[in-house]
Amino acid sequence: MQEGSAQSVPVCSYTEWDPLEEVVVGIIDDASFPPWHIALPPVLPTDQLDTFRARAGRPFPRELVAAAAAELDEFARILAGEGVRVRRPEPIPQRVTYATHTWSSTGMYAAMPRDTLLVIGSEIIECPMAWRSRYYECLAYRPLLKEYFRAGARWSAGPKPELLDAQYDRNWAEATAADTSPRLVITEFEPTFDGADFLRCGRDIIAQRSNVTNAFGIEWLRRHLGDEFRIHVLEFDDPHPMHIDATLMPLAPGKLLINPTRVRETPRLFKDWDIAVAPEPVVPEAHPFYLSSRWLNMNLLMLDENRVVVERRDEPMIRTVTDFGLTPILCDFRHFNSFGGSFHCATLDVRRRGRLDSYF
Ligand code: DAV
């Protein structure tokens, strides 16, 4: 691919750090607790299990949703002010029951385009998601997908999953000291993956198996992408893996941010990179994290190799990225964080100016 030719196509992104030109920012409209399902306990914070059981299918607290919506709008304005074209999905109903031959569910939200879609080069892929409550989430993005396709993007989708009971391990239990790998609630019945279990570093794509992404899903993606890309499947010290982007974040060529509780040893692939260690999260204990750990402090979005969006009150992370030679751009996001993601999860970088390259 010629340098600069990225501008002529609507979708083109090879890395997490090339100069960002167009981005999708999620929406929090109608955000609802998913119906109770065995895929949830392996990833929900343990203090949330009773809440999810009790409020299954009901809306998340209205004030929190409104505060998160305001933060998303502020984030979108900040990105636009930095010269990035910002797109938003269309709301879809989240509390209408839908059904297949064997199960029924309601939805959750369209807040995290990073999970639902995956951009690799000039292709945008609908991910075959493992949660029944996220089965139709990609419909919120269909107006955009059709527009991008008409303008020349390659648009594809993973095999539509059946999400039968056979996809879930009914006997899932916490790992014990004898386990050498995390125990995962999904089986290898059929391919599933979320986009957020992949990080793009040019020809090399870093992936993990998780409670939503199985080896079958990674293998489907590997063959789908072909010889131009190499997928490296890494394993971390994370007993509840779901999405790699609060564990490892490549910020620029040669600059890696790691979660010190999960990355005990720098993966060999990154042996020549500079490493920054994410500081302890500082959000007050009373602040709810419904769907994730508190390590969302490292779920950062790069606007280019230098500018990075960081939570406005996260002073330790502001210092960390500054010491790493980056320029922080501050945005309030704590209320949004309650819903399981931060700046990386809430976005899909549709177009970054750059070309396919190797960084290792
Ligand atoms: O706690 O590592 C991060 C989720 C990002 N989508 C965690 C989950």
Side-chain angles (χ1 to χ4, degrees):
M1 171 171 236
Q2 296 296 303
E3 182 122 37
S5 65
Q7 279 107 323
S8 60
V9 295
V11 172
C12 193
S13 176
Y14 290 108
T15 68
E16 306 293 334
W17 57 74
D18 280 328
L20 186 61
E21 295 186 337
E22 180 161 335
V23 72
V24 181
V25 172
I27 53 173
I28 195 79
D29 303 48
D30 233 11
S32 304
F33 289 92
W36 184 253
H37 186 251
I38 57 168
L40 299 178
V43 293
L44 293 183
T46 43
D47 64 354
Q48 292 299 330
L49 294 177
D50 290 342
T51 305
F52 272 70
R53 274 204 195 85
R55 301 199 206 164
R58 305 213 327 247
F60 279 101
R62 189 194 303 270
E63 328 71 66
L64 204 49
V65 172
E71 288 174 349
L72 279 170
D73 291 346
E74 183 203 5
F75 180 36
R77 268 195 304 277
I78 289 170
L79 292 171
E82 294 292 325
V84 180
R85 184 174 190 209
V86 178
R87 313 300 302 273
R88 309 296 294 271
E90 288 293 322
I92 55 168
Q94 298 295 351
R95 287 189 300 284
V96 173
T97 301
Y98 48 83
T100 68
H101 297 100
T102 47
W103 53 264
S104 65
S105 184
T106 49
M108 189 162 71
Y109 52 39
M112 311 289 172
R114 186 72 59 187
D115 305 349
T116 318
L117 298 164
L118 179 60
V119 172
I120 308 274
S122 60
E123 179 170 16
I124 190 161
I125 304 168
E126 294 180 18
C127 301
M129 302 181 86
W131 282 16
R132 292 174 177 175
S133 54
R134 307 191 77 178
Y135 195 69
Y136 279 125
E137 208 167 291
C138 68
L139 297 190
Y141 304 93
R142 280 291 172 86
L144 286 170
L145 291 167
K146 287 185 271 190
E147 178 195 317
Y148 292 141
F149 180 77
R150 289 196 177 103
R154 287 189 298 143
W155 170 23
S156 64
K160 195 201 325 285
E162 292 182 83
L163 304 185
L164 301 178
D165 288 346
Q167 181 67 358
Y168 310 98
D169 178 2
R170 208 162 5 103
N171 301 315
W172 181 88
E174 289 287 346
T176 66
D179 288 305
T180 50
S181 293
R183 293 192 184 181
L184 304 176
V185 74
I186 52 168
T187 66
E188 296 291 335
F189 174 69
E190 64 180 343
T192 58
F193 60 85
D194 278 13
D197 275 317
F198 299 87
L199 293 166
R200 295 142 323 133
C201 301
R203 288 193 189 278
D204 296 282
I205 297 170
I206 317 303
Q208 70 168 4
R209 285 172 63 225
S210 78
N211 285 291
V212 291
T213 297
N214 57 16
F216 205 167
I218 295 170
E219 181 57 23
W220 181 87
L221 186 68
R222 189 198 309 275
R223 282 193 221 168
H224 179 78
L225 293 176
D227 294 342
E228 259 187 329
F229 296 94
R230 297 176 285 255
I231 300 185
H232 306 266
V233 183
L234 304 186
E235 204 170 272
F236 304 98
D237 200 351
D238 179 1
H240 306 110
M242 174 171 169
H243 304 160
I244 194 171
D245 53 356
T247 297
L248 206 65
M249 279 302 304
L251 302 179
K255 289 187 181 179
L256 181 70
L257 181 66
I258 60 164
N259 179 327
T261 69
R262 298 177 183 168
V263 184
R264 305 286 183 199
E265 216 176 305
T266 304
R268 275 185 54 83
L269 193 61
F270 291 97
K271 64 183 186 338
D272 297 327
W273 286 39
D274 292 333
I275 309 293
V277 177
E280 282 290 323
V282 290
V283 180
E285 279 303 317
H287 189 85
F289 279 77
Y290 288 114
L291 277 149
S292 73
S293 75
R294 311 173 81 78
W295 287 97
L296 294 179
N297 64 337
M298 56 175 294
N299 190 250
L300 304 174
L301 180 71
M302 299 304 298
L303 304 191
D304 53 32
E305 291 182 13
N306 181 248
R307 291 171 299 162
V308 54
V309 186
V310 183
E311 215 291 329
R312 191 180 303 283
R313 284 174 285 181
D314 192 347
E315 279 165 25
M317 187 57 84
I318 293 169
R319 274 198 301 277
T320 298
V321 298
T322 306
D323 291 347
F324 214 23
L326 308 177
T327 304
I329 294 168
L330 307 185
C331 178
D332 290 307
F333 226 46
R334 280 189 182 173
H335 296 97
F336 184 83
N337 290 163
S338 293
F339 297 92
S342 199
F343 304 109
H344 194 255
C345 296
T347 51
L348 179 75
D349 41 344
V350 169
R351 203 168 61 256
R352 291 181 182 269
R353 200 169 56 246
R355 62 194 170 82
L356 185 56
D357 208 341
S358 290
Y359 299 93
F360 297 99

PDB file of all heavy atoms in Angstrom, residues 29-53:
ATOM      1  N   ASP A  29     -27.446   5.248  25.423  1.00  0.00           N
ATOM      2  CA  ASP A  29     -28.913   5.253  25.414  1.00  0.00           C
ATOM      3  C   ASP A  29     -29.471   3.898  25.809  1.00  0.00           C
ATOM      4  O   ASP A  29     -29.047   2.878  25.286  1.00  0.00           O
ATOM      5  CB  ASP A  29     -29.447   5.563  24.001  1.00  0.00           C
ATOM      6  CG  ASP A  29     -28.941   6.882  23.449  1.00  0.00           C
ATOM      7  OD1 ASP A  29     -27.723   7.123  23.518  1.00  0.00           O
ATOM      8  OD2 ASP A  29     -29.767   7.658  22.942  1.00  0.00           O
ATOM      9  N   ASP A  30     -30.460   3.908  26.700  1.00  0.00           N
ATOM     10  CA  ASP A  30     -31.218   2.696  27.005  1.00  0.00           C
ATOM     11  C   ASP A  30     -30.372   1.608  27.686  1.00  0.00           C
ATOM     12  O   ASP A  30     -30.778   0.433  27.713  1.00  0.00           O
ATOM     13  CB  ASP A  30     -31.796   2.110  25.690  1.00  0.00           C
ATOM     14  CG  ASP A  30     -33.304   1.885  25.793  1.00  0.00           C
ATOM     15  OD1 ASP A  30     -33.900   2.361  26.771  1.00  0.00           O
ATOM     16  OD2 ASP A  30     -33.859   1.221  24.898  1.00  0.00           O
ATOM     17  N   ALA A  31     -29.206   1.970  28.231  1.00  0.00           N
ATOM     18  CA  ALA A  31     -28.314   0.951  28.806  1.00  0.00           C
ATOM     19  C   ALA A  31     -29.044   0.140  29.876  1.00  0.00           C
ATOM     20  O   ALA A  31     -29.665   0.694  30.781  1.00  0.00           O
ATOM     21  CB  ALA A  31     -27.074   1.620  29.408  1.00  0.00           C
ATOM     22  N   SER A  32     -28.953  -1.186  29.761  1.00  0.00           N
ATOM     23  CA  SER A  32     -29.760  -2.066  30.602  1.00  0.00           C
ATOM     24  C   SER A  32     -28.938  -3.243  31.114  1.00  0.00           C
ATOM     25  O   SER A  32     -28.046  -3.730  30.416  1.00  0.00           O
ATOM     26  CB  SER A  32     -30.937  -2.621  29.793  1.00  0.00           C
ATOM     27  OG  SER A  32     -31.679  -1.556  29.250  1.00  0.00           O
ATOM     28  N   PHE A  33     -29.282  -3.697  32.317  1.00  0.00           N
ATOM     29  CA  PHE A  33     -28.660  -4.923  32.811  1.00  0.00           C
ATOM     30  C   PHE A  33     -29.069  -6.067  31.889  1.00  0.00           C
ATOM     31  O   PHE A  33     -30.252  -6.184  31.541  1.00  0.00           O
ATOM     32  CB  PHE A  33     -29.141  -5.223  34.230  1.00  0.00           C
ATOM     33  CG  PHE A  33     -28.590  -4.285  35.263  1.00  0.00           C
ATOM     34  CD1 PHE A  33     -29.295  -3.134  35.621  1.00  0.00           C
ATOM     35  CD2 PHE A  33     -27.373  -4.545  35.878  1.00  0.00           C
ATOM     36  CE1 PHE A  33     -28.793  -2.265  36.578  1.00  0.00           C
ATOM     37  CE2 PHE A  33     -26.869  -3.675  36.840  1.00  0.00           C
ATOM     38  CZ  PHE A  33     -27.568  -2.535  37.185  1.00  0.00           C
ATOM     39  N   PRO A  34     -28.125  -6.900  31.469  1.00  0.00           N
ATOM     40  CA  PRO A  34     -28.499  -8.033  30.610  1.00  0.00           C
ATOM     41  C   PRO A  34     -29.292  -9.061  31.421  1.00  0.00           C
ATOM     42  O   PRO A  34     -29.202  -9.080  32.645  1.00  0.00           O
ATOM     43  CB  PRO A  34     -27.149  -8.600  30.178  1.00  0.00           C
ATOM     44  CG  PRO A  34     -26.179  -8.161  31.229  1.00  0.00           C
ATOM     45  CD  PRO A  34     -26.690  -6.854  31.775  1.00  0.00           C
ATOM     46  N   PRO A  35     -30.056  -9.915  30.741  1.00  0.00           N
ATOM     47  CA  PRO A  35     -30.681 -11.024  31.454  1.00  0.00           C
ATOM     48  C   PRO A  35     -29.602 -11.867  32.131  1.00  0.00           C
ATOM     49  O   PRO A  35     -28.468 -11.929  31.648  1.00  0.00           O
ATOM     50  CB  PRO A  35     -31.366 -11.839  30.354  1.00  0.00           C
ATOM     51  CG  PRO A  35     -31.472 -10.923  29.196  1.00  0.00           C
ATOM     52  CD  PRO A  35     -30.337  -9.954  29.296  1.00  0.00           C
ATOM     53  N   TRP A  36     -29.953 -12.495  33.230  1.00  0.00           N
ATOM     54  CA  TRP A  36     -28.965 -13.340  33.915  1.00  0.00           C
ATOM     55  C   TRP A  36     -28.548 -14.495  33.014  1.00  0.00           C
ATOM     56  O   TRP A  36     -29.362 -15.078  32.307  1.00  0.00           O
ATOM     57  CB  TRP A  36     -29.545 -13.877  35.224  1.00  0.00           C
ATOM     58  CG  TRP A  36     -28.503 -14.645  35.960  1.00  0.00           C
ATOM     59  CD1 TRP A  36     -28.424 -15.989  36.124  1.00  0.00           C
ATOM     60  CD2 TRP A  36     -27.341 -14.080  36.586  1.00  0.00           C
ATOM     61  NE1 TRP A  36     -27.275 -16.310  36.818  1.00  0.00           N
ATOM     62  CE2 TRP A  36     -26.600 -15.162  37.106  1.00  0.00           C
ATOM     63  CE3 TRP A  36     -26.848 -12.783  36.741  1.00  0.00           C
ATOM     64  CZ2 TRP A  36     -25.390 -14.969  37.786  1.00  0.00           C
ATOM     65  CZ3 TRP A  36     -25.645 -12.604  37.410  1.00  0.00           C
ATOM     66  CH2 TRP A  36     -24.938 -13.697  37.924  1.00  0.00           C
ATOM     67  N   HIS A  37     -27.244 -14.805  33.000  1.00  0.00           N
ATOM     68  CA  HIS A  37     -26.765 -15.900  32.163  1.00  0.00           C
ATOM     69  C   HIS A  37     -25.440 -16.408  32.724  1.00  0.00           C
ATOM     70  O   HIS A  37     -24.687 -15.635  33.319  1.00  0.00           O
ATOM     71  CB  HIS A  37     -26.566 -15.419  30.707  1.00  0.00           C
ATOM     72  CG  HIS A  37     -26.219 -16.534  29.766  1.00  0.00           C
ATOM     73  ND1 HIS A  37     -24.957 -16.670  29.221  1.00  0.00           N
ATOM     74  CD2 HIS A  37     -26.956 -17.569  29.309  1.00  0.00           C
ATOM     75  CE1 HIS A  37     -24.941 -17.753  28.449  1.00  0.00           C
ATOM     76  NE2 HIS A  37     -26.126 -18.308  28.486  1.00  0.00           N
ATOM     77  N   ILE A  38     -25.146 -17.680  32.498  1.00  0.00           N
ATOM     78  CA  ILE A  38     -23.928 -18.260  33.078  1.00  0.00           C
ATOM     79  C   ILE A  38     -22.642 -17.653  32.512  1.00  0.00           C
ATOM     80  O   ILE A  38     -21.569 -17.856  33.072  1.00  0.00           O
ATOM     81  CB  ILE A  38     -23.868 -19.802  32.944  1.00  0.00           C
ATOM     82  CG1 ILE A  38     -23.986 -20.217  31.480  1.00  0.00           C
ATOM     83  CG2 ILE A  38     -24.934 -20.464  33.781  1.00  0.00           C
ATOM     84  CD1 ILE A  38     -23.645 -21.696  31.281  1.00  0.00           C
ATOM     85  N   ALA A  39     -22.731 -16.907  31.397  1.00  0.00           N
ATOM     86  CA  ALA A  39     -21.512 -16.258  30.877  1.00  0.00           C
ATOM     87  C   ALA A  39     -21.109 -15.050  31.725  1.00  0.00           C
ATOM     88  O   ALA A  39     -19.996 -14.539  31.579  1.00  0.00           O
ATOM     89  CB  ALA A  39     -21.722 -15.821  29.430  1.00  0.00           C
ATOM     90  N   LEU A  40     -21.988 -14.574  32.615  1.00  0.00           N
ATOM     91  CA  LEU A  40     -21.690 -13.345  33.361  1.00  0.00           C
ATOM     92  C   LEU A  40     -20.762 -13.520  34.576  1.00  0.00           C
ATOM     93  O   LEU A  40     -19.796 -12.761  34.715  1.00  0.00           O
ATOM     94  CB  LEU A  40     -22.995 -12.666  33.816  1.00  0.00           C
ATOM     95  CG  LEU A  40     -23.953 -12.214  32.706  1.00  0.00           C
ATOM     96  CD1 LEU A  40     -25.227 -11.616  33.319  1.00  0.00           C
ATOM     97  CD2 LEU A  40     -23.286 -11.178  31.817  1.00  0.00           C
ATOM     98  N   PRO A  41     -21.025 -14.477  35.483  1.00  0.00           N
ATOM     99  CA  PRO A  41     -20.216 -14.529  36.715  1.00  0.00           C
ATOM    100  C   PRO A  41     -18.702 -14.589  36.491  1.00  0.00           C
ATOM    101  O   PRO A  41     -17.955 -13.994  37.278  1.00  0.00           O
ATOM    102  CB  PRO A  41     -20.721 -15.792  37.432  1.00  0.00           C
ATOM    103  CG  PRO A  41     -22.087 -16.013  36.885  1.00  0.00           C
ATOM    104  CD  PRO A  41     -22.083 -15.500  35.476  1.00  0.00           C
ATOM    105  N   PRO A  42     -18.201 -15.249  35.442  1.00  0.00           N
ATOM    106  CA  PRO A  42     -16.739 -15.298  35.290  1.00  0.00           C
ATOM    107  C   PRO A  42     -16.094 -13.944  34.994  1.00  0.00           C
ATOM    108  O   PRO A  42     -14.877 -13.823  35.073  1.00  0.00           O
ATOM    109  CB  PRO A  42     -16.542 -16.247  34.105  1.00  0.00           C
ATOM    110  CG  PRO A  42     -17.791 -17.051  34.046  1.00  0.00           C
ATOM    111  CD  PRO A  42     -18.880 -16.127  34.491  1.00  0.00           C
ATOM    112  N   VAL A  43     -16.890 -12.935  34.644  1.00  0.00           N
ATOM    113  CA  VAL A  43     -16.269 -11.638  34.342  1.00  0.00           C
ATOM    114  C   VAL A  43     -16.796 -10.498  35.199  1.00  0.00           C
ATOM    115  O   VAL A  43     -16.140  -9.465  35.322  1.00  0.00           O
ATOM    116  CB  VAL A  43     -16.416 -11.250  32.842  1.00  0.00           C
ATOM    117  CG1 VAL A  43     -15.612 -12.198  31.986  1.00  0.00           C
ATOM    118  CG2 VAL A  43     -17.856 -11.228  32.395  1.00  0.00           C
ATOM    119  N   LEU A  44     -17.964 -10.625  35.784  1.00  0.00           N
ATOM    120  CA  LEU A  44     -18.478  -9.517  36.599  1.00  0.00           C
ATOM    121  C   LEU A  44     -17.701  -9.417  37.902  1.00  0.00           C
ATOM    122  O   LEU A  44     -17.289 -10.436  38.467  1.00  0.00           O
ATOM    123  CB  LEU A  44     -19.957  -9.740  36.940  1.00  0.00           C
ATOM    124  CG  LEU A  44     -20.946  -9.697  35.782  1.00  0.00           C
ATOM    125  CD1 LEU A  44     -22.366  -9.875  36.328  1.00  0.00           C
ATOM    126  CD2 LEU A  44     -20.840  -8.402  35.003  1.00  0.00           C
ATOM    127  N   PRO A  45     -17.522  -8.171  38.417  1.00  0.00           N
ATOM    128  CA  PRO A  45     -16.953  -8.049  39.754  1.00  0.00           C
ATOM    129  C   PRO A  45     -17.864  -8.795  40.737  1.00  0.00           C
ATOM    130  O   PRO A  45     -19.094  -8.731  40.605  1.00  0.00           O
ATOM    131  CB  PRO A  45     -16.999  -6.537  40.025  1.00  0.00           C
ATOM    132  CG  PRO A  45     -17.112  -5.892  38.669  1.00  0.00           C
ATOM    133  CD  PRO A  45     -17.848  -6.875  37.804  1.00  0.00           C
ATOM    134  N   THR A  46     -17.275  -9.497  41.694  1.00  0.00           N
ATOM    135  CA  THR A  46     -18.107 -10.344  42.571  1.00  0.00           C
ATOM    136  C   THR A  46     -19.131  -9.518  43.354  1.00  0.00           C
ATOM    137  O   THR A  46     -20.225 -10.001  43.618  1.00  0.00           O
ATOM    138  CB  THR A  46     -17.239 -11.156  43.555  1.00  0.00           C
ATOM    139  OG1 THR A  46     -16.236 -10.289  44.060  1.00  0.00           O
ATOM    140  CG2 THR A  46     -16.592 -12.328  42.875  1.00  0.00           C
ATOM    141  N   ASP A  47     -18.807  -8.257  43.647  1.00  0.00           N
ATOM    142  CA  ASP A  47     -19.783  -7.446  44.396  1.00  0.00           C
ATOM    143  C   ASP A  47     -20.965  -7.005  43.531  1.00  0.00           C
ATOM    144  O   ASP A  47     -21.870  -6.337  44.015  1.00  0.00           O
ATOM    145  CB  ASP A  47     -19.096  -6.236  45.054  1.00  0.00           C
ATOM    146  CG  ASP A  47     -18.516  -5.261  44.027  1.00  0.00           C
ATOM    147  OD1 ASP A  47     -18.546  -5.563  42.817  1.00  0.00           O
ATOM    148  OD2 ASP A  47     -18.030  -4.189  44.445  1.00  0.00           O
ATOM    149  N   GLN A  48     -20.967  -7.370  42.261  1.00  0.00           N
ATOM    150  CA  GLN A  48     -22.064  -6.975  41.364  1.00  0.00           C
ATOM    151  C   GLN A  48     -23.022  -8.127  41.042  1.00  0.00           C
ATOM    152  O   GLN A  48     -24.067  -7.921  40.418  1.00  0.00           O
ATOM    153  CB  GLN A  48     -21.505  -6.424  40.037  1.00  0.00           C
ATOM    154  CG  GLN A  48     -20.787  -5.113  40.173  1.00  0.00           C
ATOM    155  CD  GLN A  48     -21.708  -4.014  40.703  1.00  0.00           C
ATOM    156  OE1 GLN A  48     -22.916  -4.022  40.479  1.00  0.00           O
ATOM    157  NE2 GLN A  48     -21.139  -3.073  41.429  1.00  0.00           N
ATOM    158  N   LEU A  49     -22.658  -9.345  41.460  1.00  0.00           N
ATOM    159  CA  LEU A  49     -23.462 -10.498  41.026  1.00  0.00           C
ATOM    160  C   LEU A  49     -24.907 -10.382  41.490  1.00  0.00           C
ATOM    161  O   LEU A  49     -25.845 -10.589  40.706  1.00  0.00           O
ATOM    162  CB  LEU A  49     -22.830 -11.800  41.534  1.00  0.00           C
ATOM    163  CG  LEU A  49     -21.453 -12.129  40.933  1.00  0.00           C
ATOM    164  CD1 LEU A  49     -20.878 -13.394  41.567  1.00  0.00           C
ATOM    165  CD2 LEU A  49     -21.554 -12.309  39.422  1.00  0.00           C
ATOM    166  N   ASP A  50     -25.108 -10.006  42.752  1.00  0.00           N
ATOM    167  CA  ASP A  50     -26.480  -9.903  43.262  1.00  0.00           C
ATOM    168  C   ASP A  50     -27.250  -8.807  42.541  1.00  0.00           C
ATOM    169  O   ASP A  50     -28.427  -8.968  42.217  1.00  0.00           O
ATOM    170  CB  ASP A  50     -26.471  -9.626  44.775  1.00  0.00           C
ATOM    171  CG  ASP A  50     -25.987 -10.842  45.551  1.00  0.00           C
ATOM    172  OD1 ASP A  50     -25.991 -11.951  44.967  1.00  0.00           O
ATOM    173  OD2 ASP A  50     -25.584 -10.677  46.723  1.00  0.00           O
ATOM    174  N   THR A  51     -26.583  -7.690  42.276  1.00  0.00           N
ATOM    175  CA  THR A  51     -27.236  -6.589  41.562  1.00  0.00           C
ATOM    176  C   THR A  51     -27.685  -7.049  40.177  1.00  0.00           C
ATOM    177  O   THR A  51     -28.805  -6.777  39.745  1.00  0.00           O
ATOM    178  CB  THR A  51     -26.243  -5.412  41.417  1.00  0.00           C
ATOM    179  OG1 THR A  51     -25.782  -5.068  42.712  1.00  0.00           O
ATOM    180  CG2 THR A  51     -26.888  -4.207  40.766  1.00  0.00           C
ATOM    181  N   PHE A  52     -26.800  -7.754  39.457  1.00  0.00           N
ATOM    182  CA  PHE A  52     -27.160  -8.204  38.108  1.00  0.00           C
ATOM    183  C   PHE A  52     -28.305  -9.219  38.148  1.00  0.00           C
ATOM    184  O   PHE A  52     -29.166  -9.223  37.274  1.00  0.00           O
ATOM    185  CB  PHE A  52     -25.935  -8.789  37.390  1.00  0.00           C
ATOM    186  CG  PHE A  52     -25.140  -7.743  36.656  1.00  0.00           C
ATOM    187  CD1 PHE A  52     -24.399  -6.790  37.352  1.00  0.00           C
ATOM    188  CD2 PHE A  52     -25.141  -7.684  35.269  1.00  0.00           C
ATOM    189  CE1 PHE A  52     -23.678  -5.808  36.677  1.00  0.00           C
ATOM    190  CE2 PHE A  52     -24.423  -6.712  34.579  1.00  0.00           C
ATOM    191  CZ  PHE A  52     -23.683  -5.772  35.283  1.00  0.00           C
ATOM    192  N   ARG A  53     -28.309 -10.076  39.161  1.00  0.00           N
ATOM    193  CA  ARG A  53     -29.419 -11.036  39.267  1.00  0.00           C
ATOM    194  C   ARG A  53     -30.725 -10.306  39.535  1.00  0.00           C
ATOM    195  O   ARG A  53     -31.735 -10.555  38.900  1.00  0.00           O
ATOM    196  CB  ARG A  53     -29.151 -12.024  40.414  1.00  0.00           C
ATOM    197  CG  ARG A  53     -28.326 -13.199  40.005  1.00  0.00           C
ATOM    198  CD  ARG A  53     -28.578 -14.386  40.952  1.00  0.00           C
ATOM    199  NE  ARG A  53     -27.539 -15.372  40.774  1.00  0.00           N
ATOM    200  CZ  ARG A  53     -26.365 -15.316  41.401  1.00  0.00           C
ATOM    201  NH1 ARG A  53     -26.092 -14.357  42.261  1.00  0.00           N
ATOM    202  NH2 ARG A  53     -25.451 -16.249  41.161  1.00  0.00           N
TER     203      ARG A  53
END
